[in-house]
Amino acid sequence: MSPDNRLRHALQDIDVLVLPGWRNSGPTHWQSRWEARFPPWRRLQQENWTHPRRDDWVGTLETAVTTSRRPLLLVAHSLGCITVAHWASRHAGGRVAAALLVAPADVERHDVAGRLRGFAPIPRMPLPFPTLVVGSDNDPACRAPRAAALAHAWGADFLLLQGAGHINADSGLGDWEPGLQVLDTWLGRQALPASAARRALRVA
């Protein structure tokens, strides 16, 4: 079975919701390329990408989760990761089965854009679903130790990439094949089995 088909099989009962960060993800961003590669995956459309408001972004995510008829995998980047953390701090996790949080934006750093300061402080409580945080050792938006600390606080698995910048279109990742491979492996070995076990505990 090809890697793509294996991933499709693993997610056959799960919907994938893609959460871009500030200013949205353009056509060369790996999020956009993944959506083109897997047509059922859908993007969470925020009303205002350039002047984000925390409550608005969190509310949009809450609407998507509560109206979903199936479990969800969240695939977030940058400010989208922080949105997930804020949403989870207010809700119990709902239908979210797992989350991939790539290059979380450190909105608490001293030089963060003023438009993003409303997303600080970053919630530090464990997320109520299996989570993988992916950082980079030269990410200008979040230093590696900060990304690792956030992953630890969220109770997430952590992967540190070498020289991947903000893990965005400027990083030249194309379809980011290694990212898909990591997602496939993590879902199969850790995230989805853990989600199934948690659902079993709730039923029991």
Side-chain angles (χ1 to χ4, degrees):
M1 184 181 294
S2 70
D4 281 17
N5 286 337
R6 188 170 58 245
L7 190 54
R8 291 187 182 96
H9 179 74
L11 296 171
Q12 60 184 338
D13 298 318
I14 295 176
D15 288 333
V16 178
L17 188 62
V18 178
L19 288 77
W22 183 32
R23 296 174 176 167
N24 205 350
S25 293
T28 60
H29 194 289
W30 59 267
Q31 285 186 315
S32 300
R33 288 174 175 265
W34 285 11
E35 287 179 67
R37 191 161 168 170
F38 300 94
W41 297 15
R42 61 190 178 91
R43 178 169 303 202
L44 184 68
Q45 292 291 345
Q46 297 292 352
E47 183 175 347
N48 195 326
W49 291 108
T50 55
H51 295 80
R53 293 171 54 91
R54 181 181 64 190
D55 288 348
D56 292 345
W57 278 41
V58 171
T60 301
L61 176 55
E62 167 65 359
T63 298
V65 173
T66 56
T67 57
S68 176
R69 297 183 179 181
R70 304 203 306 169
L72 288 168
L73 166 65
L74 306 181
V75 177
H77 178 257
S78 193
L79 193 63
C81 303
I82 307 306
T83 301
V84 171
H86 278 293
W87 172 81
S89 73
R90 304 179 186 182
H91 304 281
R95 289 187 174 272
V96 176
L100 173 66
L101 306 183
V102 179
D106 183 4
V107 295
E108 296 174 355
R109 68 187 193 275
H110 68 90
D111 59 345
V112 71
R115 295 175 183 179
L116 308 186
R117 295 187 184 278
F119 284 76
I122 301 171
R124 298 292 204 284
M125 62 188 64
L127 300 179
F129 37 77
T131 303
L132 173 61
V133 173
V134 180
S136 170
D137 66 351
N138 66 338
D139 185 352
C142 187
R143 298 179 62 189
R146 289 282 286 173
L150 288 174
H152 178 75
W154 293 337
D157 298 316
F158 180 63
L159 173 64
L160 183 66
L161 304 182
Q162 303 298 311
H166 193 42
I167 318 179
N168 57 5
D170 292 338
S171 302
L173 299 171
D175 278 8
W176 194 28
E177 295 284 350
L180 283 172
Q181 294 169 8
V182 166
L183 177 61
D184 176 40
T185 300
W186 178 72
L187 288 174
R189 293 183 181 176
Q190 295 172 264
L192 296 186
S195 291
R198 293 182 188 191
R199 286 195 297 271
L201 287 172
R202 287 199 295 268
V203 171

